[in-house]
Amino acid sequence: MKVLMVCLGNICRSPLAEGILREKARRAGLHWEIDSAGTNGYHTGEAPHHLSQKVARLNGVDISTQRARRFTADDFQHFEKIYAMAGDVIDDMRRIAGKKFDPNKVDLLMNEVHPGKDQDVPDPWYGPEPGYHEVYKMIDVAANRIIAKYGQPGAGGSTQGQTSGFTPQKSHEQK
């Protein structure tokens, strides 16, 4: 399965989500491709925020080698599932992708925990360290749900390093 985590700058929330899900998939023996991106290009090429790295490290997850990249319209062709950290991120993704936007591939990450509630993962960028711990906890719970949902045989997640059986329907917006 190919999963993309998206936030605004790709230095706080989405690198944590990438690292957490990657570690959980590895531990589950799943050969998934997991990446992250941001909808703005302000931090392209930068490592994750030092507090995101610290909180990840305290939880046994190393995200230090990740580098921020910008979300592109082509991400819709490459990834099977794209999780946004917040509603405004989905709006940005829709704008960036234009006609390539596929709503069947996109959801808010926290909808895996609270379906249909459209809860954002708060951006800890301007706050102190405890906010990063709270974000980590939220993402950790969502990542557990993703593994449970797609990581079982026949559930749509690939366990052998091949593409998954996850086949979203074509959107009326795709032509």
Side-chain angles (χ1 to χ4, degrees), residues 2-75:
K2 297 177 182 178
V3 180
L4 182 64
M5 303 293 193
V6 185
C7 68
L8 294 175
N10 192 211
I11 61 168
C12 293
R13 297 170 289 179
S14 59
L16 279 172
E18 175 188 345
I20 293 167
L21 185 59
R22 179 176 283 138
E23 183 61 21
K24 289 181 182 297
R26 184 193 66 75
R27 288 181 187 166
L30 302 170
H31 302 282
W32 289 0
E33 179 183 333
I34 303 160
D35 196 5
S36 61
T39 55
N40 69 44
Y42 299 141
H43 300 286
T44 299
E46 292 180 23
H49 189 280
H50 69 96
L51 289 175
S52 287
Q53 290 188 54
K54 178 181 180 181
V55 169
R57 194 171 43 253
L58 289 171
N59 287 280
V61 177
D62 181 9
I63 63 171
S64 64
T65 60
Q66 292 182 29
R67 294 297 175 263
R69 75 169 183 89
R70 187 158 191 208
F71 175 82
T72 69
D74 290 338
D75 286 327

Side-chain angles (χ1 to χ4, degrees), residues 33-171:
E33 179 183 333
I34 303 160
D35 196 5
S36 61
T39 55
N40 69 44
Y42 299 141
H43 300 286
T44 299
E46 292 180 23
H49 189 280
H50 69 96
L51 289 175
S52 287
Q53 290 188 54
K54 178 181 180 181
V55 169
R57 194 171 43 253
L58 289 171
N59 287 280
V61 177
D62 181 9
I63 63 171
S64 64
T65 60
Q66 292 182 29
R67 294 297 175 263
R69 75 169 183 89
R70 187 158 191 208
F71 175 82
T72 69
D74 290 338
D75 286 327
F76 277 101
Q77 293 175 321
H78 184 78
F79 292 95
E80 296 163 279
K81 190 69 180 173
I82 302 175
Y83 288 105
M85 299 299 120
D88 60 335
V89 174
I90 292 177
D91 294 339
D92 289 346
M93 290 166 52
R94 185 177 284 113
R95 181 185 47 76
I96 292 166
K99 291 181 180 180
K100 290 184 179 181
F101 184 84
D102 184 348
N104 295 302
K105 290 186 175 188
V106 176
D107 203 354
L108 288 172
L109 179 65
M110 293 311 296
N111 278 343
E112 291 296 345
V113 179
H114 307 289
K117 298 288 184 188
D118 295 340
Q119 178 185 0
D120 291 350
V121 175
D123 191 345
W125 171 255
Y126 295 105
E129 185 175 328
Y132 289 81
H133 290 278
E134 185 59 34
V135 164
Y136 185 97
K137 289 176 194 172
M138 293 175 74
I139 294 170
D140 189 59
V141 171
N144 284 336
R145 297 286 174 94
I146 293 167
I147 295 293
K149 183 176 182 178
Y150 297 109
Q152 306 303 316
S158 172
T159 59
Q160 301 300 317
Q162 301 168 5
T163 58
S164 76
F166 181 82
T167 52
Q169 299 173 2
K170 284 221 170 209
S171 163

